[in-house]
Amino acid sequence: MGWLWAIIVGFVLGLIAKAIIPGKQHSPLWLTTIFGILGAVVGNAVARGFGVEETSGIDWSRHIFQLVAAVIIVAVGDMLYVRTLGRRRHHA
């Protein structure tokens, strides 16, 4: 069940990150979900680095770290995706 929860969280984080980033993102939904999963993992690691541990109830601070990481990863990942897609079209 852990992998299913990771996919759901990644999907939601990726979509929220896409909504926050100005302009249009071109990465497909499956890639946005992977970026969201990476954002959750990186955000958890950064939160632990700042001393945010698991608490009872909702960990708002940890979720903020996850969202910030997802926004950064989605933005950078989308730029790399577009750049890679552009190279493929020029070589074809």
Side-chain angles (χ1 to χ4, degrees), residues 21-32:
I21 299 169
K24 183 177 186 209
Q25 291 78 44
H26 302 352
S27 55
L29 196 54
W30 64 267
L31 192 55
T32 301

Side-chain angles (χ1 to χ4, degrees), residues 4-80:
L4 182 61
W5 189 242
I7 292 170
I8 292 168
V9 168
F11 178 75
V12 171
L13 273 175
L15 288 181
I16 293 171
K18 270 188 150 182
I20 291 173
I21 299 169
K24 183 177 186 209
Q25 291 78 44
H26 302 352
S27 55
L29 196 54
W30 64 267
L31 192 55
T32 301
T33 302
I34 292 172
F35 292 156
I37 292 169
L38 291 173
V41 170
V42 170
N44 281 340
V46 171
R48 274 192 301 273
F50 277 97
V52 176
E53 297 295 327
E54 225 176 282
T55 60
S56 59
I58 299 175
D59 288 333
W60 290 109
S61 55
R62 185 171 51 96
H63 295 315
I64 295 297
F65 282 116
Q66 290 174 335
L67 183 58
V68 169
V71 167
I72 293 168
I73 291 171
V74 167
V76 172
D78 189 68
M79 284 189 297
L80 292 172

